[in-house]
Amino acid sequence: MQLILGIESSCDETGVALVRLPADGSLPQLLAHGLHSQIAMHRAYGGVVPELASRDHIRRVLPLTRQVLEDAGAALSDIDVVAFTRGPGLAGALLVGAGAACALGAALGKPVLGIHHLEGHLLSPFLSADAPQFPFVALLVSGGHTQLMRVDGVGQYAILGETIDDAAGEAFDKSAKLLGLPYPGGPELARLAQGGNPQAFKLPRPLLHSGDLDFSFAGLKTAVLTQAKKLGDDLATHKADLAASTQAAIVEVLVKKTLKAVQQAGMQRLVVAGGVGANRLLREQLDEACAQRGIRVHYPELHLCTDNGAMIAMAAAMRLQSGQQQADCSYAFDVKPRWPLDSICTA
Ligand code: KG4
Ligand code: ZN
């Protein structure tokens, strides 16, 4: 049995978690996790301010680590491996987590392991009570990424399709901003959309019939802007309708392309991960479409959809367990603000 501490600091949440890696090969277990969201701090600026993010991670990371250890009834000396998010993300923010992890590792004489943030999201459904089994198709939808992947095992990821411009979360966030909603726009737009008519406005479904599995969301925000301008003073009374129409357009493209990917890959299992995976309409439509086709869908627990430390500790545990990687004691850390997921594939 090994205890793995995971630290996430790639963007605007500081996350720390402790995971137990059983010696018998069974699935790693989450013992405790702590999260500090910087949303309230960045809200005044309408988006993430990188320098403020880094400084706040510095303030939060050690108190959160202490709290997580206390919650798990563990001591610092019980930690066997310290994992951290090595990328992709904001360079300064990543450096805080990497620095803290390597300093802890060096002080304890324990090895450290840098983890790919998207692999964390991808494997986060393994933390839920209804954990998936390999192989599956994954829809990874976050603020910076939109990818369809074939996942055959830990480290065995093949990209089937991805966005050629904006990510799905970005489409939510940018459209929300145009509607005057506060950061982060995705959940705000989804909330507003609940009271709106999704058919009120005809918005484009980019690349829906492109024949491949790629996405494009950049044109959608322009269409939303055009509609908002057209409405002028009437925007206030039609805001919920425009929000609902925007959400419907994003979700329809995501659902149709995902179903196509599952069908083309000949799979019966789908995993949805990343912040946009928290979207209720997306979950409802995927659940319904997959139930009709006999496809099992797995999501991370709702509170583990957005960034957190548990997914980083879990990804580290699963990489170690599968023999994909070993933690090391060099402590010469570097971070990778841009880091394609396929570069860590072993298949
Ligand atoms: O995975 P995540 O926490 O961070 C990244 O790695 O990017 O994803 C954040 C993204 C943001 O764009 C946010 O607006 C979006 O996920 N998001 C949502 C919802 N909750 C978070 N988008 C739509 N509906 C939601 N309920
Ligand atoms: Zn993320």
Side-chain angles (χ1 to χ4, degrees):
M1 197 267 293
Q2 283 192 307
L3 288 188
I4 296 163
L5 186 81
I7 298 177
E8 154 65 30
S9 71
S10 66
C11 189
D12 56 353
E13 337 260 9
T14 320
V16 179
L18 196 66
V19 158
R20 190 169 66 93
L21 174 56
D24 63 3
S26 56
L27 215 54
Q29 303 289 321
L30 179 64
L31 299 181
H33 84 111
L35 190 74
H36 176 79
S37 168
Q38 302 177 352
I39 285 177
M41 183 181 76
H42 295 297
R43 187 159 263 186
Y45 306 93
V48 178
V49 183
E51 180 61 21
L52 293 183
S54 308
R55 289 172 188 225
D56 202 58
H57 286 308
I58 292 173
R59 273 193 293 273
R60 308 289 174 180
V61 67
L62 292 180
L64 265 179
T65 303
R66 270 188 217 107
Q67 183 209 310
V68 164
L69 288 170
E70 199 183 309
D71 291 350
L76 265 178
S77 55
D78 294 331
I79 296 171
D80 295 296
V81 177
V82 187
F84 62 95
T85 304
R86 190 179 176 201
L90 300 170
L94 288 166
L95 280 168
V96 176
C102 291
L104 261 178
L108 298 170
K110 296 293 165 63
V112 297
L113 183 56
I115 291 296
H116 196 294
H117 180 83
L118 293 181
E119 186 174 41
H121 277 302
L122 195 61
L123 300 177
S124 62
F126 285 93
L127 288 159
S128 70
D130 180 30
Q133 282 171 0
F134 297 113
F136 51 78
V137 165
L139 170 67
L140 195 58
V141 268
S142 70
H145 294 82
T146 301
Q147 291 177 330
L148 279 163
M149 256 171 294
R150 185 193 160 100
V151 178
D152 286 294
V154 178
Q156 294 175 266
Y157 317 128
I159 293 174
L160 305 173
E162 60 190 330
T163 183
I164 57 169
D165 41 52
D166 288 357
E170 224 173 334
F172 268 105
D173 294 343
K174 287 179 176 171
S175 304
K177 210 167 190 175
L178 293 171
L179 295 179
L181 300 174
Y183 150 88
E188 294 285 339
L189 189 142
R191 206 168 300 130
L192 181 63
Q194 278 176 24
N197 172 7
Q199 269 128 33
F201 297 98
K202 250 191 141 66
L203 295 173
R205 267 69 171 157
L207 299 191
L208 189 57
H209 303 293
S210 61
D212 58 20
L213 297 170
D214 286 340
F215 302 91
S216 165
F217 290 109
L220 189 62
K221 64 172 185 291
T222 316
V224 173
L225 179 64
T226 309
Q227 275 301 345
K229 276 189 177 156
K230 235 193 248 175
L231 285 166
D233 291 344
D234 290 338
L235 176 61
T237 42
H238 295 286
K239 225 182 204 178
D241 289 342
L242 191 48
S245 303
T246 307
Q247 177 176 246
I250 300 170
V251 167
E252 184 183 340
V253 179
L254 289 176
V255 170
K256 293 212 166 132
K257 292 255 167 167
T258 301
L259 292 173
K260 197 167 170 187
V262 176
Q263 185 206 354
Q264 281 185 6
M267 297 265 185
Q268 292 301 312
R269 207 178 280 277
L270 171 68
V271 159
V272 183
V276 182
N279 185 270
R280 224 165 73 186
L281 185 72
L282 178 67
R283 286 186 175 219
E284 279 169 15
Q285 294 203 357
L286 277 177
D287 284 346
E288 194 186 326
C290 289
Q292 283 168 2
R293 292 164 177 78
I295 301 164
R296 285 286 314 273
V297 199
H298 300 262
Y299 304 94
E301 310 244 352
L302 212 50
H303 67 287
L304 298 179
C305 270
T306 45
D307 294 348
N308 63 81
M311 68 185 199
I312 300 306
M314 186 65 173
M318 290 182 75
R319 282 189 86 79
L320 292 169
Q321 192 173 43
S322 70
Q324 295 288 315
Q325 202 168 347
Q326 301 207 323
D328 71 77
C329 290
S330 75
Y331 311 122
F333 64 92
D334 63 345
V335 294
K336 290 176 170 272
R338 289 175 186 277
W339 193 11
L341 183 59
D342 47 8
S343 68
I344 62 162
C345 292
T346 48

